[in-house]
Amino acid sequence: MIPLEEARAFVLHRCPPPVPADVDLRSALGLVLAEPVEAVESVPPFDNTAMDGFAVRAADTADAPVDLSIIGTLAAGSVSDREVGVGEAMRIMTGAPMPPGADAVVMVERTKASADDTTVTIEIRVEVGNHVRGAGEDLRSGQEVFAAGTVLGPAHIGVLASIGCRQVPTYRRLRVGVLSTGDELVMGTPGPGQIRDSNRDALLALLEAAGMIGVDLGLVSDDEEAIEGAILAGVAGCDAVLTSGGVSMGDFDYVKAVLDRIGDMRWMQVAIRPAKPLAFGLVDGTPVFGLPGNPVSSMVSFELFARPALRSMSGHTDLERRRVVAVSEGGLDRHPDGKVHFARVTVDYSDGTYMVASVKGQGSHQLTAMASADGLAVLPDGDGVVDGGAVEVLLLR
Ligand code: AMP
Ligand code: MG
C-alpha cells in the first residue's frame, strides 16, 4: 500500500495544465480567470444620486430650513443641461446623473414641496457630496478589476457585466467522460444476479456539482475489447475520463488490464478505507481515473483524487475541500490496519464548534449513508476517536 499523499501527488503531477479559452459571460460561472481583467469603463460612469430627493447646492442649505425653487424633475436615464443655480433645487430620482451646478442631494423624506410644486422646503443642512455616488467609485477605467486565478462567482459575473465584458478570458470548463463497467450492471429492471448501475449517475452529478460537464460514456460489460473501445472513444472527446469498477483483485477486473495495455498507467493500492484500489494513467495524453466499483468507494475516490486533479486542470489553486477540526459526538470507532479511514459523518455547526456524528452504515456499498453525510471524518491509523474527542473532517458541502 502507498500513502494517500503519495498517490495524490502522483495523480496531480501527471495531469495536464489548464487550457485558456474565452467564454461568453453567461457561461462563465465557477470558471477561473486565465488572465487579469481590466476595466475599460468607470463604474458608475457619471456622478449620480443615491436617493430620491432634490439636487441642490449644499451652501444653500447652511441655514436650513430653507425654501428653494423647484426648476424641474430628473428621472434615472435622462440628463439635464439646466444648471441648478443659487436658491434652486431639481427633483431627482435614484440613479439620475447630477445636474450641473448641484453638489448634494437632500433625500425626499427631509423635504416638503409646496402645494403648487413651485418651491420646496429643505429641512436639513447637507454637506457637499451628500448622497452623491461619484463617477468611478466602484471601478476606475484602466484599473485591474480581477486578477488571473480569480474564481468567478455571481458577483464577479455582475461586475464583468457592469463594464461590458461579455467575453471572459477563463480556463476551459472541463468535459469529463464517465464509464461504468461490470457484467452485473443494468439500466433497466435487474434480472437474477444483476443490479442497477448507480455509479454513473452519482459521478455525473459529482462532476456537475464541481462545475464540470459530465459526458455519459455508457455502460460496458467486463470485456476487454468493449472497455478499450469505450475508453478510447472517451479520451478522444473529453479532457478526462472516469471509469468505475474493474480495478480490484477479481478475475474479471479488466479495466486495469486495458489501461495497462493502452495507457501509461499506474495501479495503486492506497492506504485508505474506503477506496483502496485506484488505477490512474494517461491514454493519448488524457487522464483516466479507474475508480473502484463499490458505490461509496467510487464517490470517496472521486473526492480524494479526481476532484482535486480536475480542479487543477480547471485552473483552480485551491484544490481540496475545506478541512475543519470538529468534536466527535458518540466517538468514531476503528481498528488499526495501516490505513487512514474516511468515515461518513453528519456535521453540525453550533456555538462556534463543529460537531460530527457517524452516519449509520459505514459499508462501502451503503450509499444511503453517503447521501446523509455532510463530511468525511479523517481517522488516522489507530483506534479511532473517543466521544468528545477532536477529529479532522473534510466538508463535502
Ligand atoms: P468491482 O470493483 O468491479 O469489483 O465492483 C465492486 C462492487 O461494486 C461490486 O459489488 C459491483 O457490483 C459494484 N459496482 C461496480 N460498479 C457499479 C456501478 N456502476 N453501480 C453500482 N454498483 C457497482
Ligand atoms: Mg466489476
Side-chain angles (χ1 to χ4, degrees), residues 226-276:
I227 293 170
E228 176 174 336
I231 291 176
L232 287 176
V235 298
C238 301
D239 300 298
V241 168
L242 310 177
T243 70
S244 72
V247 293
S248 316
M249 309 283 271
D251 286 351
F252 307 103
D253 287 337
Y254 292 131
V255 172
K256 64 175 198 254
V258 169
L259 286 178
D260 220 6
R261 192 154 45 70
I262 64 173
D264 165 18
M265 198 272 302
R266 179 168 170 197
W267 183 65
M268 293 171 267
Q269 296 273 82
V270 189
I272 56 173
R273 181 182 162 159
K276 183 171 71 160

Side-chain angles (χ1 to χ4, degrees), residues 49-72:
T49 173
M51 288 283 173
D52 298 322
F54 285 88
V56 300
R57 291 168 178 259
D60 282 352
T61 68
D63 299 319
V66 59
D67 287 352
L68 303 177
S69 30
I70 300 175
I71 59 165

Side-chain angles (χ1 to χ4, degrees), residues 16-22 32 34 170-174 239 312-315:
V19 180
D22 285 1
V32 179
T170 62
Y171 291 114
R172 191 167 76 212
R173 193 181 294 282
L174 295 189
D239 300 298
S312 109
M313 289 172 63
S314 308

Side-chain angles (χ1 to χ4, degrees), residues 73-197:
T73 296
L74 196 52
S78 46
V79 177
S80 172
D81 42 23
R82 169 74 159 82
E83 182 167 323
V84 175
V86 174
E88 293 181 338
M90 184 173 291
R91 182 179 277 115
I92 192 166
M93 307 304 146
T94 304
M98 289 296 287
D103 56 17
V105 170
V106 183
M107 67 197 288
V108 69
E109 292 86 340
R110 298 306 186 90
T111 66
K112 195 168 167 30
S114 62
D116 62 0
D117 210 39
T118 54
T119 61
V120 59
T121 306
I122 303 294
E123 294 169 355
I124 53 161
R125 172 190 176 147
V126 295
E127 302 296 323
V128 171
N130 191 59
H131 296 318
V132 177
R133 305 189 283 212
E137 254 180 38
D138 190 11
L139 286 173
R140 289 197 177 282
S141 181
Q143 169 191 342
E144 178 177 301
V145 184
F146 299 127
T150 301
V151 182
L152 299 174
H156 300 93
I157 301 291
V159 170
L160 294 173
S162 79
I163 55 167
C165 178
R166 305 302 308 187
Q167 287 292 311
V168 193
T170 62
Y171 291 114
R172 191 167 76 212
R173 193 181 294 282
L174 295 189
R175 287 168 50 84
V176 182
V178 179
L179 176 69
S180 285
T181 69
D183 283 344
E184 74 282 27
L185 304 174
V186 290
M187 276 304 280
T189 310
Q194 296 183 321
I195 59 166
R196 295 181 199 273
D197 173 11

Side-chain angles (χ1 to χ4, degrees), residues 369-391:
M370 187 73 188
S372 47
D374 307 306
L376 297 173
V378 186
L379 306 177
D381 196 20
D383 291 309
V385 179
V386 296
D387 182 30
V391 60

